[in-house]
Amino acid sequence: MTLIARHSNVDQLPPVWAWTNAIPQRAQPQSRRHTPWPWESVLMLLSNTLTRQHRVLQAGDAVYRAGEHLSNLYVLNSGFVKVMSLASDGREQLVSLKWRGDWLGFDGMATSHHSCEALALDTSEVWAFKYEALLAASAQTPELLTVLHEAMGRELTHDRDALMSVCTLPAEARVAEFLCHWVESLAARGLRTDAITLRMTRAEIGNYLGMTLESVSRALSKLARQQVISFVEKRRRDVCILDLKALTAFIQRQ
Amino acid sequence: MTLIARHSNVDQLPPVWAWTNAIPQRAQPQSRRHTPWPWESVLMLLSNTLTRQHRVLQAGDAVYRAGEHLSNLYVLNSGFVKVMSLASDGREQLVSLKWRGDWLGFDGMATSHHSCEALALDTSEVWAFKYEALLAASAQTPELLTVLHEAMGRELTHDRDALMSVCTLPAEARVAEFLCHWVESLAARGLRTDAITLRMTRAEIGNYLGMTLESVSRALSKLARQQVISFVEKRRRDVCILDLKALTAFIQRQ
DNA sequence: CGTCCGCTTGACAACTGTCAACTGTTGTGG
DNA sequence: CCACAACAGTTGACAGTTGTCAAGCGGACG
């Protein structure tokens, strides 16, 4: 339990946060691509200008389902959500993972009907905003519109990064990048980045990264063998990041 | 020149259109995922509510470049544009192809700086709209905001379809899907769909689909060998769609 | 006319998927 | 409380798709 290694730059831990399982720490230096955004002030802006509806979800519950009419956009206030795209022939694709502060529901804007499903992977809380009300408020408050567009732009950028990843990187590198991106997401929210709790099966990770669950398992085993990561006891979903530099190096070569 | 086969449902050809190389025909039944949108009325709405700046580009010219400040959004009025995402380590990824009526520039909304490059693959004309002016006008005209958001939603949906394609389909199927999608794009614009002019090298197609140029070449050769497509004379970039049903069948099985 | 570039094709190698066996954990019902 | 089934994960052997390398062809263009 206390075997989790800590990065040396953790000099002081802030008070415990209402955040799933993870203990917050000082904000860390950000990566190049994923610059921090003031999601806390965004949440405040939203609370001040709009009425919201809170919704608590258990793991497995859907925020929205494919085909549903787009009536709300959502902001994830706590927990962890996966977004699945469904093809008519039965293929499923995990296209995005969402953390605190992320928006949900943009995939419904093209046709007014959601083209994806958003499923909670952990106990989660979302704030639901009526799409119409959001648009109306945006007309009054340009700041709100900017916030919305920034979020959409980030989603677009993320999807394209994902596409580049599966198109240009070999399987092992994709797994390494997956872990790095997870770390960045935690860092951007001021959470500790020395250990991550994958609340997904190997099959889900594999689907997300375009490979089989066996390849995911092998890649993780190799990273562990090389002391880049380690697992907490027998819990193979709790990953300690032993050497972030080595992990990022894995993305580039091989 | 006249060797191009015609689908039997072409009973009458409308007058020639100012569209690159392709001759328009009756609008065809749309696919499930890519529903038609009234891009012509969108163009009219835009011309009525905003001042626009026309810009003509030659093949190779950039609509915008990565890193540039987001000052305009663009609507492609004619021609053909590719959008490239650039990684800091030099990798390049063709993430999107744009036809008439498509919007360009959303990738800059996350950070106010474009994260991609948009390069003309053919002589093209874009309409540039000041982003600030567009936002201001959207506050006045809700219809305009809806149009904008629909376009962003479509882009998001497209990117996720692309991700699912590279993650779940084998190389040959991806090539077939690429051709099908091209046909759908032509159909959605009322253009003839029996022949398409790829204004891209095999390497560009391969980059787009996450495979090597050799794999693209082999896949196209196989489709031609099976009479699903054919090439116009020696021009290996002009593809006739002989059997659209067989082509879509290629997406599913193998 | 010669070079460069795009494309095709073959031979081979390598990465990754498939199949199978095994372990360990979790949850359920007798 | 235990036996059992179901599920998640790991690992090995093997096969197959796809990448790599190379050669050759033909068109475009100076």
Side-chain angles (χ1 to χ4, degrees):
Chain A
M1 288 301 144
T2 56
L3 295 177
I4 298 172
R6 268 184 206 159
H7 289 157
S8 55
N9 60 353
V10 177
D11 45 354
Q12 187 190 349
L13 284 177
V16 173
W17 197 272
W19 184 243
T20 53
N21 249 1
I23 303 166
Q25 67 176 33
R26 283 255 176 101
Q28 300 208 334
Q30 306 300 328
S31 76
R32 292 149 308 189
R33 293 196 73 98
H34 301 280
T35 50
W37 78 95
W39 55 268
E40 284 189 299
S41 61
V42 167
L43 295 187
M44 284 185 54
L45 173 64
L46 285 166
S47 347
N48 293 341
T49 54
L50 281 167
T51 61
R52 60 173 190 258
Q53 186 197 342
H54 292 242
R55 227 167 89 196
V56 174
L57 303 119
Q58 302 303 317
D61 292 350
V63 182
Y64 56 84
R65 292 202 171 275
E68 251 179 41
H69 185 263
L70 166 68
S71 48
N72 296 304
L73 290 180
Y74 307 86
V75 173
L76 184 55
N77 187 45
S78 77
F80 186 42
V81 169
K82 69 170 177 180
V83 182
M84 309 282 304
S85 184
L86 308 176
S88 51
D89 56 9
R91 284 175 296 149
E92 296 191 354
Q93 181 64 43
L94 206 175
V95 292
S96 192
L97 295 173
K98 300 296 182 183
W99 282 273
R100 180 175 211 192
D102 285 335
W103 285 81
L104 291 163
F106 294 145
D107 55 80
M109 292 195 325
T111 62
S112 291
H113 291 266
H114 289 291
S115 60
C116 300
E117 308 219 331
L119 302 173
L121 286 173
D122 193 10
T123 306
S124 305
E125 187 203 354
V126 295
W127 292 354
F129 300 93
K130 285 280 160 217
Y131 182 49
E132 297 301 333
L134 207 47
L135 289 188
S138 300
Q140 307 300 320
T141 315
E143 205 181 350
L144 192 57
L145 193 59
T146 304
V147 160
L148 211 58
H149 286 181
E150 277 175 11
M152 287 190 260
R154 267 195 309 278
E155 190 137 340
L156 213 56
T157 306
H158 166 271
D159 286 5
R160 291 175 170 183
D161 287 350
L163 187 64
M164 178 173 322
S165 179
V166 294
C167 282
T168 64
L169 294 180
E172 267 177 28
R174 298 210 291 278
V175 173
E177 196 188 54
F178 169 73
L179 295 175
C180 281
H181 184 76
W182 197 301
V183 166
E184 286 169 16
S185 294
L186 293 179
R189 288 161 183 80
L191 302 167
R192 65 185 303 166
T193 59
D194 49 359
I196 60 189
T197 303
L198 308 171
R199 289 183 200 74
M200 311 161 63
T201 66
R202 300 292 192 257
E204 282 174 314
I205 298 171
N207 180 284
Y208 187 42
L209 300 178
M211 65 186 81
T212 59
L213 65 94
E214 291 95 332
S215 291
V216 176
S217 180
R218 276 187 250 268
L220 289 174
S221 295
K222 182 172 178 184
L223 288 171
R225 220 179 306 126
Q226 301 198 8
Q227 315 274 347
V228 179
I229 64 171
S230 72
F231 296 104
V232 177
E233 295 282 323
K234 303 285 184 178
R235 303 193 36 52
R236 308 286 295 185
R237 290 195 195 178
D238 292 354
V239 175
C240 300
I241 309 297
L242 301 178
D243 189 346
L244 190 54
K245 225 167 220 170
L247 193 60
T248 54
F250 252 89
I251 300 175
Q252 303 293 358
R253 47 194 146 99
Q254 199 183 38
Chain B
M1 287 303 145
T2 57
L3 295 177
I4 298 174
R6 268 181 208 164
H7 289 158
S8 53
N9 59 352
V10 177
D11 47 355
Q12 187 188 349
L13 284 177
V16 173
W17 198 271
W19 183 245
T20 52
N21 249 358
I23 301 165
Q25 68 176 34
R26 283 254 176 105
Q28 299 208 333
Q30 306 302 327
S31 76
R32 291 148 308 189
R33 292 195 74 97
H34 302 281
T35 50
W37 76 96
W39 56 267
E40 284 188 300
S41 61
V42 167
L43 294 187
M44 284 184 55
L45 173 64
L46 284 166
S47 346
N48 293 341
T49 53
L50 281 167
T51 61
R52 61 173 190 257
Q53 185 197 342
H54 292 242
R55 229 167 89 196
V56 174
L57 303 117
Q58 302 303 317
D61 291 350
V63 183
Y64 55 84
R65 292 201 172 274
E68 251 179 42
H69 184 263
L70 167 66
S71 49
N72 295 304
L73 289 181
Y74 308 85
V75 173
L76 185 55
N77 186 45
S78 78
F80 185 42
V81 170
K82 70 171 177 179
V83 182
M84 308 281 305
S85 183
L86 308 176
S88 51
D89 57 9
R91 283 176 295 149
E92 296 191 354
Q93 180 63 44
L94 206 174
V95 293
S96 192
L97 296 173
K98 300 296 182 183
W99 281 273
R100 180 174 211 193
D102 285 335
W103 286 81
L104 292 163
F106 294 145
D107 55 81
M109 292 196 323
T111 62
S112 291
H113 291 266
H114 288 292
S115 60
C116 300
E117 308 220 331
L119 303 173
L121 287 172
D122 193 9
T123 306
S124 306
E125 186 202 355
V126 295
W127 292 354
F129 300 93
K130 285 282 162 212
Y131 181 50
E132 297 300 334
L134 207 48
L135 289 187
S138 301
Q140 308 299 320
T141 316
E143 205 182 349
L144 192 57
L145 193 58
T146 303
V147 160
L148 211 58
H149 286 181
E150 277 175 10
M152 288 191 258
R154 266 194 310 278
E155 189 138 340
L156 214 55
T157 305
H158 166 270
D159 286 5
R160 291 177 170 182
D161 287 350
L163 187 63
M164 178 170 327
S165 179
V166 294
C167 281
T168 65
L169 294 180
E172 266 177 27
R174 298 209 291 278
V175 173
E177 197 188 54
F178 169 74
L179 295 175
C180 281
H181 184 76
W182 198 301
V183 166
E184 287 170 15
S185 294
L186 293 179
R189 288 160 182 81
L191 301 167
R192 67 185 303 166
T193 59
D194 50 359
I196 59 190
T197 303
L198 307 171
R199 289 181 199 76
M200 312 160 61
T201 65
R202 301 292 193 256
E204 283 173 314
I205 298 172
N207 179 285
Y208 186 43
L209 301 178
M211 66 186 80
T212 59
L213 67 95
E214 290 96 332
S215 291
V216 175
S217 179
R218 276 187 251 267
L220 289 174
S221 295
K222 182 173 180 184
L223 288 170
R225 220 178 306 127
Q226 302 199 6
Q227 314 274 346
V228 179
I229 64 171
S230 71
F231 296 103
V232 177
E233 294 283 323
K234 303 284 185 181
R235 306 194 33 57
R236 306 287 294 183
R237 291 196 195 179
D238 291 354
V239 175
C240 300
I241 310 297
L242 301 179
D243 189 345
L244 190 54
K245 229 168 217 167
L247 193 59
T248 55
F250 251 89
I251 301 175
Q252 303 292 358
R253 47 196 147 98
Q254 207 183 36

